[in-house]
Amino acid sequence: MPLITVHLIENVFTPAEKADMIAKLTDTMVAIEGEAMRGVTWVKVEEVPEGQWGIGGQALTAEMIHKMKNA
């Protein structure tokens, strides 16, 4: 059974957006391996607290990510 783990910074995505990610990632696995995979594909969303995920030496916050999304 496939297990897809998605790591996100908390407070960036809404519950609806996370549900959409889960559905689309499942659909992608089904597109690759066939419909039989739908019922056994697990998608796990893990949220990392703001400031505990960094890139380029800088800790990221939800506000910073929102600014990037809107740029």
Side-chain angles (χ1 to χ4, degrees):
M1 93 185 128
L3 169 61
I4 301 166
T5 304
V6 180
H7 295 259
L8 305 171
I9 295 174
E10 69 181 356
N11 302 317
V12 173
F13 296 95
T14 67
E17 289 171 324
K18 290 182 274 189
D20 191 41
M21 282 182 217
I22 291 168
K24 287 179 178 177
L25 288 167
T26 300
D27 289 344
T28 299
M29 183 56 69
V30 168
I32 296 166
E33 294 294 330
E35 190 60 41
M37 286 288 112
R38 187 172 304 280
V40 295
T41 298
W42 295 45
V43 179
K44 183 171 72 166
V45 175
E46 295 183 0
E47 292 188 293
V48 177
E50 294 181 62
Q52 294 187 16
W53 181 322
I55 188 167
Q58 183 175 17
L60 298 174
T61 65
E63 181 181 354
M64 294 165 75
I65 301 300
H66 287 295
K67 286 180 182 177
M68 283 189 250
K69 286 172 56 175
N70 296 326

